[in-house]
Amino acid sequence: MPSVFEICAGGGGQALGLEAAGFDCAAAVEILPIACETLRTNRPGWKVIQSDVRDVGGTNFSGVDLLAGGVPCPPFSIAGKQLGANDDRDLFPEALRLASEIRPRAIMLENVPGFASEKFRDYRRALFAKLRRMGYEPDFRILNARDFGVPQLRPRCIIVALRKDDVRSFRWPEGSTAPPSVGETLADLMSSRGWPGASLWQEGANGIAPTVVGGSTKHGGPDLGPTRARKEWARLGVDGLGIANEPPGLDFDPKAAPKLTVRMVARIQGFPDHWTFAGKKTAAYRQVGNALPPPVAEGVARAILAAFEGDYEVPYEHGQARLFETSKAVSI
């Protein structure tokens, strides 16, 4: 079975998708104790390393097939400042270091869509140049969770780097599963405590959700995002100003907009119900909200495995217009 070494594993969204595709977890690195507890609770057999990625060496995992991870997003937010030299939030350099130590057959990294913007073109060029010098051919795409059956508008930038002998067989997953509506996804949970408004609510929640926002681990309580996102939730009959402890009950106004529970948000992220999250409500919600939806990770991982197996050959220039971006180099 092919193996994966994952960094910044969080609450397990990417890990679940990789597992579903057929990868065995060689190790999962995560700095937050509560997220490590989630991983260990759900998968006692996994090697979970609670550590800053900077303090983890890769030589003991030499030969692992895939290096994967969702490196921190703030440095690449469109709203954020231009990435500066030695920005301590930027863990792409650590991913490069681990790749040089492990020498995996493939690399899969994900980030916010802002990473693909013109603002970070120089940074991408430098990153990809280093990957090419290491013997990989990198490419990136913006993939949307809704194209993988997830009832949510959630674009993510996915980077895949393969060795030259595998890249000819790699094809980006297009996604083909239409997502259910929020109402269809949550109908049984909304009615689980006898709320008389559940059926009416389901009819009104007939679209997909806006992007779930995990939020900072340092500030504030859980909610479903900024004002614009909360307006989108309101159109679906959801109160986005907080997260509920339990589904609405018999005494909840049939015409009122309920708040979602952590389990409900987890479903909207594509997590299976059997996956449990450690910690109290705020900590659990942030693990859910910051995750890569498992179906998206699974789709990309299956495409990587297909490339390993050489199932088909793609023209060599399939995505490389992006790889030869001409602009000044920056230091990574």
Side-chain angles (χ1 to χ4, degrees), residues 62-253:
S62 177
V64 164
D65 296 285
L66 177 65
L67 170 64
V71 295
C73 302
F76 303 100
S77 168
I78 294 297
K81 297 185 296 183
Q82 183 68 39
L83 191 69
N86 301 317
D87 190 315
D88 62 5
R89 302 168 301 170
D90 178 17
L91 293 183
F92 273 114
E94 296 303 317
L96 289 173
R97 174 184 62 80
L98 287 167
S100 69
E101 294 171 357
I102 296 172
R103 304 302 299 175
R105 192 170 175 180
I107 300 166
M108 173 185 168
L109 301 171
E110 64 99 6
N111 211 278
V112 290
F115 180 81
S117 69
E118 181 68 19
K119 180 178 180 180
F120 297 111
R121 185 179 183 184
D122 293 342
Y123 188 95
R124 289 194 306 274
R125 181 176 182 266
L127 175 68
F128 290 168
K130 289 196 173 187
L131 285 168
R132 288 175 64 81
R133 287 196 293 271
M134 292 167 60
Y136 296 99
E137 291 294 341
D139 198 5
F140 70 98
R141 289 287 187 277
I142 301 294
L143 300 182
N144 201 305
R146 67 183 177 188
D147 297 323
F148 295 84
V150 178
Q152 180 188 171
L153 180 67
R154 191 180 188 84
R156 301 297 290 182
C157 181
I158 310 293
I159 300 167
V160 171
L162 293 157
R163 294 178 183 173
K164 292 181 180 179
D165 53 349
D166 289 324
V167 72
R168 291 181 181 274
S169 296
F170 179 73
R171 180 181 298 166
W172 283 98
E174 297 179 355
S176 59
T177 304
S181 69
V182 169
E184 293 172 312
T185 302
L186 303 181
D188 63 321
L189 295 178
M190 279 295 181
S191 62
S192 62
R193 297 185 59 245
W195 180 38
S199 295
L200 183 63
W201 176 85
Q202 179 183 348
E203 293 176 10
N206 59 359
I208 63 171
T211 299
V212 171
V213 179
S216 168
T217 59
K218 297 181 180 180
H219 305 292
D223 61 45
L224 294 178
T227 301
R228 182 176 178 180
R230 291 199 295 267
K231 288 181 178 178
E232 294 298 319
W233 283 109
R235 293 189 182 97
L236 295 168
V238 172
D239 180 354
L241 285 173
I243 299 296
N245 293 320
E246 58 186 4
L250 287 168
D251 57 349
F252 193 80
D253 186 344

